[in-house]
């Protein structure tokens, strides 16, 4: 909610957000600031453009955590690509339910195409290995993984990761698409969520 909607003119009152997510008391240390996100995502986009030049590449995002990353990554990829999304559920609060469910399937076939799965964060690796299993049954030419964040210390199942934005410690993080009970996705950086 905003206290006033500034019209931009000299007499307009200053716009003050009375409920500013960046001042939420549960938002802790900033692990990846905006500028570092921008720089690294540009590098990954450039690498993808070189590695997949001349190939029919499909970027597949996992809803909803990967939307910001996908949007910025797309702007950094200069080769022709198509985009599709999957929705799955595995987390309730801070803990994985351990059960992965497919909530929304792809809209288009991926047979014969090079697929790059765009993930927000790999933690235990359980979700990733479920999604990879599903995608491989569809006959793609190749399937690789691009993740913004990697928490290697929590890994239960290892899968090769072709592009990794940042390694983060084994803490629950929010922001830049990542939520806690649907909150904090709109933080423009990655921060630790403090224990309640
Ligand atoms: P995994 O199956 O690898 O344990 O978990 C993958 C999914 O869990 C991610 O796509 C993400 O939605 C969620 N997740 C894992 N760690 C975190 C975290 O630190 N913060 C948030 N917000 N989500 C996480």
């Amino acid at each position: 909610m905003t206290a006033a909607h500034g019209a931009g003119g000299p007499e307009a009152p200053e716009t003050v957000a009375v409920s500013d997510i960046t001042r939420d008391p549960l938002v802790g240390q900033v692990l990846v600031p905006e500028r570092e996100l921008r720089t690294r995502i540009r590098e990954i986009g450039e690498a993808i453009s070189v590695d997949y030049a001349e190939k029919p590449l499909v970027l597949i995002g996992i809803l909803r955590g990967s939307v910001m990353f996908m949007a910025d990554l797309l702007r950094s990829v200069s080769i022709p690509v198509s985009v599709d999304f999957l929705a799955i559920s595995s987390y309730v609060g801070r803990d994985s339910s351990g059960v992965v469910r497919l909530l929304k399937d792809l809209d288009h076939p991926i047979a014969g195409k090079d697929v790059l799965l765009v993930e927000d964060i790999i933690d235990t690796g359980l979700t990733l290995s479920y999604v990879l299993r599903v995608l491989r049954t569809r006959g793609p030419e190749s399937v690789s993984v691009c993740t913004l964040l990697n928490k290697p210390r929590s890994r239960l199942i290892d899968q090769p990761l072709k592009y990794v934005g940042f390694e983060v410690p084994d803490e629950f993080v929010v922001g830049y698409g990542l939520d806690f009970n649907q909150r904090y996705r709109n933080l423009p950086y990655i921060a630790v969520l403090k224990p309640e």
Side-chain angles (χ1 to χ4, degrees):
M1 204 173 114
T2 7
H5 297 281
E11 291 88 32
E14 194 188 342
T15 301
V16 180
V18 292
S19 174
D20 185 340
I21 195 83
T22 62
R23 297 188 189 172
D24 186 297
L26 282 187
V27 174
Q29 188 198 353
V30 174
L31 291 181
V32 192
E34 276 183 88
R35 185 200 289 255
E36 281 181 38
L37 283 167
R38 262 200 307 276
T39 307
R40 181 72 190 119
I41 292 169
R42 201 174 306 128
E43 285 170 3
I44 295 175
E46 285 166 6
I48 291 171
S49 308
V50 171
D51 296 346
Y52 289 90
E54 315 294 325
K55 291 184 177 177
L57 179 63
V58 187
L59 297 182
I60 296 183
I62 314 268
L63 295 171
R64 282 165 276 197
S66 70
V67 286
M68 281 212 203
F69 179 37
M70 175 67 102
D72 285 340
L73 186 63
L74 266 176
R75 276 179 272 220
S76 300
V77 171
S78 54
I79 56 172
V81 288
S82 56
V83 179
D84 210 338
F85 290 96
L86 279 176
I88 50 166
S89 80
S90 61
Y91 269 56
V92 178
R94 296 179 192 231
D95 301 310
S96 173
S97 63
V99 181
V100 184
R101 274 192 312 138
L102 189 63
L103 301 177
K104 181 211 164 288
D105 207 335
L106 298 175
D107 291 326
H108 302 284
I110 52 169
K113 304 212 168 141
D114 287 288
V115 168
L116 190 58
L117 194 60
V118 176
E119 258 284 30
D120 52 355
I121 186 165
I122 313 293
D123 187 13
T124 62
L126 292 170
T127 309
L128 177 63
S129 76
Y130 168 81
V131 173
L132 288 175
R133 245 191 345 266
V134 170
L135 294 180
R136 285 186 180 125
T137 62
R138 314 277 173 89
E141 175 68 22
S142 70
V143 185
S144 300
V145 181
C146 173
T147 185
L148 179 66
L149 305 176
N150 184 25
K151 272 199 224 172
R153 263 179 282 162
S154 338
R155 195 71 88 252
L156 295 178
I157 305 183
D158 250 323
Q159 300 281 352
L161 306 176
K162 189 165 175 135
Y163 309 98
V164 176
F166 302 90
E167 297 220 332
V168 290
D170 190 13
E171 294 191 75
F172 196 84
V173 298
V174 291
Y176 197 71
L178 288 107
D179 75 312
F180 171 61
N181 290 343
Q182 301 308 323
R183 215 175 144 92
Y184 307 111
R185 291 195 200 275
N186 54 327
L187 276 176
Y189 44 73
I190 303 285
V192 173
L193 189 71
K194 293 181 191 164
E196 282 165 286

